Amino acid sequence: MDTMFTIGLDYGTNSVRALIVKVKDGTEIASCVWSYAHGDAGVVEDPRDPNLARQHPQDYLDGISASISGALKEAGQEPSFSPDRVIGIGVDTTGSTPLPVDKEGTPLAFYEYYKDNPNAYAWLWKDHTAIAEAELITSTAAKMKPRYLAKIGGTYSSEWFWAKILHCLKVDKPVFDAAYTWVEIADWIPAVLTGTTLPEKMKRGVCAAGHKAMFHTDWGGYPEPDFLEKLDPALVTLRKTLPDTAYTIADAAGTLTTEWADRLGIPSGIPVAVGAFDAHLGGVGSGIRPGVLVKNIGTSTCDMMVAPGDMKLPDIPGLCGIVPGSILPGDYGLEAGQSAVGDIFNWFVNYIEPGGKDAGSHQALTREAEKLKPGESGLLALDWNNGNRTVLVDQRLTGMVLGLTLHTTPGEIYRALIEGTAFGARVIMERYEEYGVQVERVVNCGGISIKNPMIMQIYADVLGREMEISRSTQTGALGSAIAGAVVAGREAGGYATYGEAVAQMTGVLDTRFTPDPDNTAVYNRLYRLYNQLHDVFGTREYSTNLFNVMKDLLVIRDQARKQ
Amino acid sequence: MDTMFTIGLDYGTNSVRALIVKVKDGTEIASCVWSYAHGDAGVVEDPRDPNLARQHPQDYLDGISASISGALKEAGQEPSFSPDRVIGIGVDTTGSTPLPVDKEGTPLAFYEYYKDNPNAYAWLWKDHTAIAEAELITSTAAKMKPRYLAKIGGTYSSEWFWAKILHCLKVDKPVFDAAYTWVEIADWIPAVLTGTTLPEKMKRGVCAAGHKAMFHTDWGGYPEPDFLEKLDPALVTLRKTLPDTAYTIADAAGTLTTEWADRLGIPSGIPVAVGAFDAHLGGVGSGIRPGVLVKNIGTSTCDMMVAPGDMKLPDIPGLCGIVPGSILPGDYGLEAGQSAVGDIFNWFVNYIEPGGKDAGSHQALTREAEKLKPGESGLLALDWNNGNRTVLVDQRLTGMVLGLTLHTTPGEIYRALIEGTAFGARVIMERYEEYGVQVERVVNCGGISIKNPMIMQIYADVLGREMEISRSTQTGALGSAIAGAVVAGREAGGYATYGEAVAQMTGVLDTRFTPDPDNTAVYNRLYRLYNQLHDVFGTREYSTNLFNVMKDLLVIRDQARKQ
């Protein structure tokens, strides 16, 4: 095992990354990022419709060669490395990013006729053109199949598989009709590498199917025909092209074809794992296991946990998804998240530009915010500038800053925005625990967790938990590489189980952020006020008077200032 | 009357203005502003206590000569003017700005011993050192004398006469003991001009006494001894130095002394009107009469009305003051206001500096805000960054901006802040009308009313009323000049009554802002949401769910964007 390697392929929104990893201990010996060639940084947009976001699948193909070749070249500098020691490949992608393909599994976008029609491209995760269709799916399921909604937190999203396909059917029937089936790119890319793109052969991953396409063994896989019929009869025909089984990342999509092996210069016949979403394999790359909450904190967050498959797990209201095997095979995969975190700080810096461009950088605002004690600003923010994913599952919520005076500074607002996202994070953690999924450790990954220690300290203080930081800065790619090591198996020099692989190949930094009890005490008081606002603005059930809110904030502020 | 003139002296926070006016038609022929010499732009501050704000009375004396001499010099260019045609003087000042004086009426600040002690100076209106004493006065009155509170909106302010004096007693007993009495500068300056500073001789104006010192004929003038005894027995002694009678601006404080006449070069013996506050005489200068709401819009607002003295006027909850004769003799004077208006816009520009210093000027933000339709931003603001004066009378309220997204711009926030102040203005207008004081016209004065047409249009649309703009840009000084014309009387070439004088000497601009019914319809919807937030955050009585608020704002926004 000492000298074996795997490759993780990580398809992001703007680029693809290949990472070459030592199987023994997860050491990352080489990586290469290739930026997509189409559209604006890989995203094909429509100036007339800000909700539209597509990708050309040619970028996915070109990205395989470009990124892996680049990484292999860099890996050549590592003495123990040799391309023939690569034993497996794993793939993670954005999602739900469904792609219309023909009977051979070839994207319609590759046809001359469709080459300029974005509806024939991949519908990128952040495409929001299907808001009306998502609402229709939610309301139809609420009437006909409430159990579908119970697994996805109660609301079907415009970002997801069926909403996008139904929208295509409404706005571009020729594309819908020309497509034999639709496939998540998380499934299509491994199929390409293994020559299994024929729809009858192509394996579909339970991560995408379960979280985004309402696939569940409780009702025999994809949504039942009577439900799809109600949405549109054409979807019943489409359903016939979808398999009854979905696979976990413990399964191989197939083995690397000779053509790809020759082109890349690595062994043919090595297994390629079934694909999964970047966040989920990022959880794997961060060391997820029962009791560990992995928080991927970037422009938005993904807050993942797994629960043992033999646990009696109730439906958890407001959780985006509970899918057996979607993160680790054998465990329930649970996904929650915040619609915007870094995006809120970016909004403040880039749209408001407080204090001018120089004084208003993240660095400058962090310096000002660092000087403040908890509660000292008198401010309280609701972190809903992009709606609320968990636990309210409501896109039509908005952000708020309360407690403004004639002396409120940009640094104070910046800190309040950070604290608002921390309170939102605490709501998610508490929801997990309220339903029996105990959080013993919190491991953070993603850009913000590495770049901004102040934010991590605030999170530690607000959540009242130690914040650990994933050792890897490319956890999605590392998780994919781990998948490659597991599907390769012990005999090839990999691992028999994810338990072993994760234990050996992941880790956390020595730097940990420990809650300060005094700060936590203040934040507990602020969190009560946050919750009061959260429930009165975010739910229909809770009525209250709010006379206390501004007063309490001023009392807390005055006490903080006196210290 | 054709060739007679009066002088209005207007003592502001940073400077004093002298205005020379034609009695016939109010034409302003000359003015001169003199900036105070002491402290920071006239305000003596304490770096250790941001609540402290004092003024040295020497500035009031020096300001008489400097401003009047300058104005007279300029008036010399007007052929019809001659100094001996000046028939009267009026004085307005900030307030409540009480000054400790000795048995001769000489300020303690003029003693060598006290010259560096700010407690011996005038306690400027915006001094907030007496918060605790104000709360004590309010709670004591609530128990012993609720009728005292009914005339001042329910809460005694830290800005007012008794709170400041009581605070001086607590923190600097030597100054309190050295003072024979305390006098509002609105009373002291006319006394100086007329040689009547001896406390037994000095007339006290009902404007200051009634609005700030709880003077009312219903209980025989200043607060009763048993009440003051309860606050502190030393106040009972002080009360004995205060007169039983208070005067309106129809009365002369006395006549100009020979010394001042010689020094200024105007006739001795001309009457000097009893002083009043700048806002109130600004109301007179804006043409106040029953049915006219005069809004003085600057950093904060003063919203004044008068009601006929023979009207059965109830106490109006939340109104700062209802005092017979305080604005126009014979009418009830009613005062309401917003704690911050221009100050909120200034905060956004100066503290947040959105878009950098260039892009974030009032002019640039106004250009952006002008492009927006009502409701288009999806934002709603509470205008409480400096508390709420009317109708909540609560300093411990704070500002709020709700409806933030990842695309919210500075121009949108700027407009929302303006709209927030307009909604606050509408609450005040509706409170007047709810209690039988009908608003037939709205006349605006003050910096913002002249400088920013967009704001005035928004006010017209939000209030659903035509906004008129006072012809004079120095309404306080004009009101004082009118007072000079009335105390001079008809025989001297002035007027017999304020009704005549105001009708002849004031007017409005031709430019009027008329409500657009479509805009008003949108603002009516936003105002309902504002009221919902106003009552749930601002009162103890109102409980509600707020699930509708963000949703309704988005619906209104989406409709506005489609137009």
Side-chain angles (χ1 to χ4, degrees):
Chain A
M1 190 193 283
D2 278 10
T3 47
M4 295 306 174
F5 298 85
T6 57
I7 295 176
L9 270 178
D10 169 43
Y11 282 87
T13 300
N14 309 114
S15 60
V16 53
R17 172 191 302 272
L19 178 71
I20 302 179
V21 172
K22 269 194 191 165
V23 170
K24 184 180 71 165
D25 58 6
T27 305
E28 300 169 6
I29 66 158
S31 73
C32 176
V33 172
W34 183 77
S35 297
Y36 303 140
H38 290 77
D40 180 11
V43 182
V44 176
E45 295 172 345
D46 180 346
R48 291 159 307 174
D49 184 358
N51 285 321
L52 188 143
R54 307 288 160 82
Q55 283 187 327
H56 198 291
Q58 187 64 45
D59 282 339
Y60 305 141
L61 297 187
D62 295 344
I64 297 174
S65 314
S67 65
I68 293 183
S69 303
L72 288 169
K73 197 171 162 200
E74 188 188 327
Q77 301 176 352
E78 161 72 29
S80 67
F81 180 76
S82 151
D84 58 9
R85 294 186 180 278
V86 174
I87 60 171
I89 298 175
V91 179
D92 69 271
T93 71
T94 67
S96 172
T97 305
L99 173 72
V101 297
D102 68 10
K103 262 190 119 107
E104 314 296 319
T106 302
L108 299 187
F110 292 172
Y111 286 70
E112 179 65 22
Y113 183 75
Y114 290 116
K115 74 179 172 54
D116 296 322
N117 183 349
N119 295 327
Y121 296 4
W123 292 46
L124 187 60
W125 67 277
K126 67 174 180 176
D127 184 291
H128 285 113
T129 52
I131 289 172
E133 290 77 12
E135 285 170 3
L136 177 68
I137 292 170
T138 299
S139 62
T140 306
K143 267 180 252 153
M144 292 180 69
K145 309 277 179 184
R147 62 184 182 164
Y148 292 5
L149 297 179
K151 303 292 179 201
I152 55 171
T155 306
Y156 200 80
S157 163
S158 62
E159 293 186 2
W160 297 351
F161 191 77
W162 291 109
K164 284 169 168 167
I165 294 170
L166 189 54
H167 187 68
C168 181
L169 172 56
K170 301 288 175 206
V171 300
D172 197 341
K173 194 156 185 304
V175 164
F176 179 88
D177 287 342
Y180 173 73
T181 192
W182 291 66
V183 55
E184 290 282 349
I185 62 166
D187 298 326
W188 185 74
I189 294 166
V192 165
L193 287 165
T194 57
T196 59
T197 56
L198 263 187
E200 297 77 47
K201 280 187 168 180
M202 188 160 45
K203 287 183 184 165
R204 310 254 181 173
V206 72
C207 174
H211 283 290
K212 312 298 182 190
M214 298 198 292
F215 180 101
H216 202 286
T217 51
D218 280 4
W219 48 86
Y222 288 95
E224 293 148 296
D226 61 334
F227 173 71
L228 296 177
E229 168 102 35
K230 186 82 187 173
L231 296 176
D232 195 295
L235 295 183
V236 181
T237 311
L238 172 62
R239 187 188 190 281
K240 293 181 184 147
T241 68
L242 302 175
D244 296 335
T245 310
Y247 295 85
T248 74
I249 53 170
D251 298 294
T255 56
L256 192 67
T257 63
T258 314
E259 290 77 12
W260 279 109
D262 291 350
R263 193 184 306 174
L264 299 170
I266 53 177
S268 72
I270 60 172
V272 178
V274 163
F277 289 146
D278 40 13
H280 293 72
L281 277 168
V284 174
S286 297
I288 203 165
R289 70 200 69 170
V292 176
L293 168 62
V294 174
K295 288 180 65 65
N296 188 330
I297 312 181
T299 53
S300 61
T301 76
C302 194
D303 296 57
M304 288 157 287
M305 295 198 73
V306 294
D310 55 2
M311 178 180 168
K312 264 244 170 273
L313 189 67
D315 294 330
I316 305 182
L319 230 68
C320 320
I322 305 175
V323 176
S326 69
I327 298 178
L328 290 183
D331 290 338
Y332 290 104
L334 299 106
E335 185 192 331
Q338 292 174 266
S339 314
V341 172
D343 269 348
I344 295 179
F345 317 147
N346 289 336
W347 159 73
F348 192 57
V349 166
N350 297 328
Y351 278 74
I352 305 303
E353 292 184 42
K357 283 185 189 186
D358 297 333
S361 68
H362 288 291
Q363 292 74 13
L365 288 166
T366 295
R367 277 196 300 277
E368 292 304 312
E370 265 172 350
K371 297 176 189 163
L372 298 166
K373 290 188 279 280
E376 190 178 349
S377 70
L379 299 175
L380 186 60
L382 285 179
D383 52 320
W384 300 345
N385 294 45
N386 193 25
N388 178 293
R389 193 180 295 159
T390 311
V391 300
L392 298 171
V393 199
D394 188 345
Q395 190 64 28
R396 289 178 78 78
L397 291 171
T398 49
M400 179 169 111
V401 179
L402 183 152
L404 298 166
T405 72
L406 295 175
H407 301 94
T408 299
T409 65
E412 289 175 330
I413 294 177
Y414 192 72
R415 186 172 177 117
L417 295 174
I418 291 167
E419 291 168 342
T421 67
F423 295 135
R426 181 163 163 181
V427 169
I428 291 174
M429 186 182 75
E430 293 189 349
R431 179 60 57 99
Y432 272 127
E433 297 208 310
E434 197 185 337
Y435 284 82
V437 186
Q438 292 305 317
V439 176
E440 288 151 21
R441 292 171 53 211
V442 182
V443 176
N444 297 276
C445 62
I448 284 179
S449 72
I450 305 151
K451 280 187 285 191
N452 196 314
M454 178 188 72
I455 293 180
M456 295 320 298
Q457 185 59 51
I458 290 173
Y459 273 56
D461 291 339
V462 168
L463 273 69
R465 302 295 179 100
E466 185 177 75
M467 293 291 121
E468 302 177 54
I469 312 294
S470 171
R471 193 176 63 196
S472 174
T473 60
Q474 33 205 353
T475 53
L478 176 59
S480 295
I482 291 171
V486 174
V487 293
R490 189 173 285 165
E491 282 144 47
Y495 293 97
T497 67
Y498 274 92
E500 290 169 44
V502 166
Q504 295 300 321
M505 297 177 73
T506 70
V508 294
L509 297 182
D510 290 339
T511 307
R512 292 150 189 264
F513 298 87
T514 308
D516 174 318
D518 292 339
N519 291 349
T520 299
V522 176
Y523 280 133
N524 284 343
R525 296 169 70 189
L526 292 172
Y527 183 61
R528 274 199 291 278
L529 299 175
Y530 175 90
N531 262 325
Q532 200 181 352
L533 298 175
H534 179 282
D535 291 352
V536 76
F537 280 104
T539 75
R540 293 175 196 276
E541 293 77 29
Y542 180 61
S543 287
T544 190
N545 172 265
L546 296 169
F547 188 72
N548 67 300
V549 175
M550 292 170 179
K551 308 281 183 290
D552 289 354
L553 286 170
L554 290 173
V555 167
I556 294 167
R557 179 194 74 176
D558 294 345
Q559 289 170 350
R561 288 191 178 171
K562 269 186 199 144
Q563 281 172 353
Chain B
M1 189 193 286
D2 278 9
T3 47
M4 294 307 175
F5 298 85
T6 57
I7 295 176
L9 269 179
D10 169 44
Y11 281 86
T13 300
N14 309 114
S15 59
V16 53
R17 173 190 300 273
L19 178 69
I20 302 179
V21 172
K22 268 194 189 163
V23 170
K24 183 178 71 166
D25 57 8
T27 305
E28 299 168 6
I29 66 158
S31 73
C32 176
V33 173
W34 184 77
S35 297
Y36 303 140
H38 290 76
D40 179 10
V43 182
V44 176
E45 295 172 345
D46 180 346
R48 293 158 306 174
D49 184 356
N51 286 322
L52 188 145
R54 308 286 160 83
Q55 283 187 326
H56 198 292
Q58 187 64 45
D59 282 340
Y60 306 141
L61 297 187
D62 294 345
I64 296 174
S65 313
S67 65
I68 293 184
S69 302
L72 287 169
K73 197 171 163 201
E74 187 188 327
Q77 300 174 355
E78 160 72 31
S80 66
F81 179 77
S82 151
D84 59 9
R85 293 187 180 278
V86 175
I87 60 171
I89 298 175
V91 178
D92 68 273
T93 72
T94 67
S96 170
T97 304
L99 174 72
V101 297
D102 68 9
K103 265 192 115 99
E104 313 297 317
T106 303
L108 298 186
F110 291 172
Y111 285 72
E112 180 64 22
Y113 183 76
Y114 290 115
K115 75 182 171 50
D116 294 323
N117 183 349
N119 295 327
Y121 296 4
W123 292 47
L124 189 60
W125 66 276
K126 66 176 179 174
D127 184 289
H128 286 114
T129 51
I131 290 173
E133 289 77 12
E135 285 170 4
L136 176 69
I137 293 170
T138 299
S139 62
T140 306
K143 269 179 252 154
M144 291 180 68
K145 310 277 180 184
R147 63 183 181 163
Y148 291 6
L149 297 178
K151 304 292 179 202
I152 56 170
T155 307
Y156 199 80
S157 164
S158 63
E159 292 186 2
W160 297 351
F161 190 77
W162 290 108
K164 284 170 169 166
I165 294 170
L166 189 54
H167 186 69
C168 181
L169 173 56
K170 301 288 175 205
V171 299
D172 198 342
K173 192 155 186 305
V175 163
F176 180 88
D177 288 341
Y180 172 73
T181 192
W182 291 66
V183 55
E184 291 281 350
I185 61 167
D187 298 326
W188 185 73
I189 294 166
V192 165
L193 287 166
T194 56
T196 59
T197 56
L198 262 189
E200 299 77 50
K201 278 187 167 180
M202 189 159 45
K203 287 184 185 166
R204 310 255 180 171
V206 73
C207 175
H211 284 290
K212 311 299 179 188
M214 298 198 291
F215 181 101
H216 203 288
T217 50
D218 281 2
W219 48 85
Y222 288 96
E224 293 148 295
D226 61 334
F227 173 73
L228 295 177
E229 169 102 36
K230 185 84 187 170
L231 297 176
D232 196 296
L235 296 183
V236 181
T237 313
L238 173 62
R239 187 189 190 281
K240 292 182 185 147
T241 68
L242 302 175
D244 296 333
T245 310
Y247 293 86
T248 73
I249 53 171
D251 297 295
T255 56
L256 192 68
T257 63
T258 313
E259 291 76 13
W260 279 109
D262 290 350
R263 191 182 309 174
L264 299 170
I266 53 177
S268 73
I270 59 172
V272 178
V274 163
F277 290 147
D278 40 13
H280 293 73
L281 277 169
V284 173
S286 297
I288 203 165
R289 68 199 72 171
V292 176
L293 168 62
V294 173
K295 289 180 65 64
N296 189 330
I297 312 181
T299 55
S300 60
T301 76
C302 193
D303 296 56
M304 288 156 286
M305 295 198 73
V306 294
D310 55 2
M311 178 182 168
K312 264 247 172 266
L313 189 67
D315 294 330
I316 305 181
L319 230 69
C320 321
I322 305 174
V323 176
S326 69
I327 300 178
L328 289 183
D331 289 338
Y332 288 104
L334 299 105
E335 185 191 333
Q338 292 173 269
S339 314
V341 171
D343 269 347
I344 296 180
F345 318 147
N346 288 337
W347 159 73
F348 192 57
V349 166
N350 297 328
Y351 278 73
I352 305 303
E353 290 184 43
K357 284 188 185 181
D358 297 334
S361 67
H362 287 291
Q363 293 74 15
L365 289 165
T366 296
R367 277 194 301 275
E368 292 305 312
E370 265 173 350
K371 296 175 189 163
L372 298 165
K373 291 189 276 280
E376 189 177 351
S377 70
L379 299 175
L380 186 61
L382 285 179
D383 52 319
W384 300 345
N385 294 43
N386 193 26
N388 177 294
R389 192 179 295 159
T390 311
V391 300
L392 298 172
V393 199
D394 188 345
Q395 189 64 27
R396 287 179 79 79
L397 292 171
T398 49
M400 180 169 110
V401 178
L402 185 152
L404 299 166
T405 72
L406 295 174
H407 301 95
T408 299
T409 64
E412 289 175 331
I413 294 177
Y414 192 73
R415 186 172 177 116
L417 295 175
I418 292 166
E419 291 168 343
T421 67
F423 295 135
R426 182 163 160 182
V427 170
I428 291 173
M429 185 182 77
E430 292 188 352
R431 179 60 57 98
Y432 273 126
E433 296 208 312
E434 197 183 335
Y435 285 82
V437 186
Q438 291 306 316
V439 176
E440 289 152 22
R441 292 170 53 210
V442 182
V443 176
N444 297 275
C445 61
I448 285 180
S449 72
I450 304 152
K451 280 188 281 191
N452 197 313
M454 177 188 72
I455 294 180
M456 294 321 298
Q457 184 60 50
I458 289 174
Y459 273 55
D461 291 340
V462 168
L463 273 69
R465 302 294 179 99
E466 184 176 75
M467 293 292 120
E468 302 177 52
I469 312 294
S470 170
R471 192 176 64 195
S472 174
T473 59
Q474 35 205 351
T475 51
L478 176 59
S480 295
I482 290 172
V486 174
V487 292
R490 189 172 284 164
E491 280 143 48
Y495 293 98
T497 68
Y498 274 92
E500 289 170 45
V502 165
Q504 294 301 320
M505 296 177 74
T506 71
V508 294
L509 298 182
D510 290 339
T511 306
R512 293 150 188 263
F513 298 87
T514 308
D516 174 316
D518 292 339
N519 291 349
T520 299
V522 175
Y523 281 132
N524 284 342
R525 296 170 69 190
L526 292 172
Y527 182 61
R528 275 197 292 277
L529 299 175
Y530 175 91
N531 262 325
Q532 200 180 351
L533 298 174
H534 179 281
D535 291 352
V536 77
F537 280 103
T539 74
R540 294 175 196 275
E541 294 77 30
Y542 180 60
S543 288
T544 189
N545 174 264
L546 297 169
F547 188 73
N548 67 300
V549 175
M550 292 172 179
K551 309 279 183 289
D552 289 354
L553 286 171
L554 290 172
V555 167
I556 294 168
R557 178 195 74 177
D558 294 345
Q559 289 170 350
R561 287 191 179 170
K562 269 185 200 143
Q563 279 171 355

